Amino acid sequence: MTDQTEVPSAPTARMLTWVRNSTIYRLERRMMTERQLFDAIARKAKQKFEDITAEQIEALANAAVKFAYDIKALDDVAYAEIATRSAIRGGKSRRAIAQKLSIKGVSKDITAQALSEADDLYAAVIMARKRRFGPFRRDEADQKRMQKEISAFARNGYSFEIANRVYRMSLDDAEEILAQGSP
């Protein structure tokens, strides 16, 4: 007689109850993408349950995602649109927003759809206002200051053309762009 215990591959009822409760808890606190929820549940399941198998972890994470879709609490399209609008209001470039959404696990198609109406010029003017660059600067700019400002735009994902345009813009033009708002 051998002393082999069979390792279950399906999650137990207790695990599935924990997944539902944990999913609700996480999604009540903040909006998440499908991948973020999957990763969070998988990570937490490893900590919570002793002797859990990789198959059970994956099944629990998939169950969490399915449950979140069933209760309509998970929507990558809405997440991408909300994150894009918020980032534009914060002065982030289309490139920076796309990178952030990619890191969060949003697909390229959904990202492209969310960024379709994003205006880099509008966002760059917001960034300039926040940092007192270009038309919002108090002092007269010298060559060193110009290089610093344009470098900051480049680090934030803006093209040289947009950075240069905002840098040389008058205060009236910048305020007009801000008044028009983002589409």
Side-chain angles (χ1 to χ4, degrees):
M1 185 168 176
T2 59
D3 189 24
Q4 285 184 322
T5 56
E6 193 171 315
V7 179
S9 61
T12 65
R14 178 175 167 252
M15 289 177 178
L16 292 172
T17 300
W18 171 82
V19 160
R20 283 193 305 280
N21 293 338
S22 185
T23 300
I24 291 169
Y25 174 82
R26 289 170 194 295
L27 293 174
E28 279 180 341
R29 302 226 170 316
R30 69 183 184 111
M31 198 169 188
M32 299 176 101
T33 65
E34 181 178 322
R35 190 171 101 201
Q36 285 178 306
L37 179 62
F38 184 95
D39 292 346
I41 293 295
R43 184 178 56 252
K44 211 53 174 163
K46 284 180 197 175
Q47 295 172 357
K48 175 122 178 105
F49 300 105
E50 293 180 18
D51 302 327
I52 190 168
T53 66
E55 294 83 21
Q56 287 175 318
I57 291 171
E58 186 171 347
L60 288 174
N62 285 327
V65 170
K66 182 186 179 315
F67 176 68
Y69 275 118
D70 289 347
I71 64 170
K72 296 181 179 10
L74 197 62
D75 185 356
D76 281 1
V77 174
Y79 181 92
E81 290 171 356
I82 291 167
T84 299
R85 282 194 304 270
S86 176
I88 288 170
R89 285 191 309 270
K92 303 289 185 215
S93 69
R94 292 170 52 101
R95 188 176 301 151
I97 297 167
Q99 182 179 16
K100 184 74 154 189
L101 290 174
S102 175
I103 290 169
K104 299 285 184 182
V106 178
S107 74
K108 289 186 187 324
D109 296 340
I110 294 172
T111 299
Q113 179 184 347
L115 290 172
S116 64
E117 294 188 22
D119 182 8
D120 259 358
L121 181 60
Y122 175 75
V125 172
I126 289 175
M127 181 187 151
R129 183 182 64 192
K130 286 174 75 173
R131 295 202 177 177
R132 297 198 175 277
F133 286 173
F136 300 99
R137 134 180 25 84
R138 289 187 178 157
D139 303 327
E140 205 51 44
D142 57 359
Q143 188 66 25
K144 184 177 178 184
R145 173 82 176 171
M146 177 184 161
Q147 287 176 345
K148 278 186 163 189
E149 289 182 15
I150 290 182
S151 294
F153 279 109
R155 282 191 306 276
N156 284 287
Y158 293 105
S159 67
F160 176 76
E161 291 78 27
I162 288 187
N164 197 34
R165 186 170 167 193
V166 172
Y167 180 80
R168 300 190 185 290
M169 190 177 283
S170 73
L171 182 59
D172 291 339
D173 291 342
E175 287 176 347
E176 184 178 324
I177 288 172
L178 292 174
Q180 291 173 356
S182 183

